[in-house]
Amino acid sequence: RSLCDWSSDVCSSDLDGYFPALKNLAVLYERADFRHAAIEAWERALRVAPDEPTREQIKARVIALLA
């Protein structure tokens, strides 16, 4: 197990298949104007994103939400 989040005792290897669900959850939170929840969901999705271009897109989206 690598890249564990010890605060929640969840490891990224356990979440590999969860990226689509986390992405959809983040989008739903954004559309409902729940910015804080959307940022948290995007941060979780970032940890299990399938590739670097996707990670860069998520980072940009989080920065936009923080602005």
Side-chain angles (χ1 to χ4, degrees), residues 4-5 11-13 15 19 25 30 36 41-42 46-47 49-50 60 63 66:
C4 290
D5 176 6
C11 294
S12 63
S13 61
L15 297 175
F19 176 76
L25 181 62
E30 271 190 64
H36 182 74
W42 280 124
L46 180 64
R47 287 185 262 166
I63 289 170
L66 290 171

Side-chain angles (χ1 to χ4, degrees), residues 8-53:
S8 64
D9 198 29
V10 173
C11 294
S12 63
S13 61
D14 295 336
L15 297 175
D16 287 342
Y18 292 101
F19 176 76
L22 290 168
K23 178 189 70 118
N24 290 339
L25 181 62
V27 170
L28 288 173
Y29 281 144
E30 271 190 64
R31 289 182 181 166
D33 205 26
F34 297 137
R35 286 177 42 166
H36 182 74
I39 291 168
E40 288 181 354
W42 280 124
E43 288 174 341
R44 288 181 184 156
L46 180 64
R47 287 185 262 166
V48 294
D51 53 44
E52 189 59 31

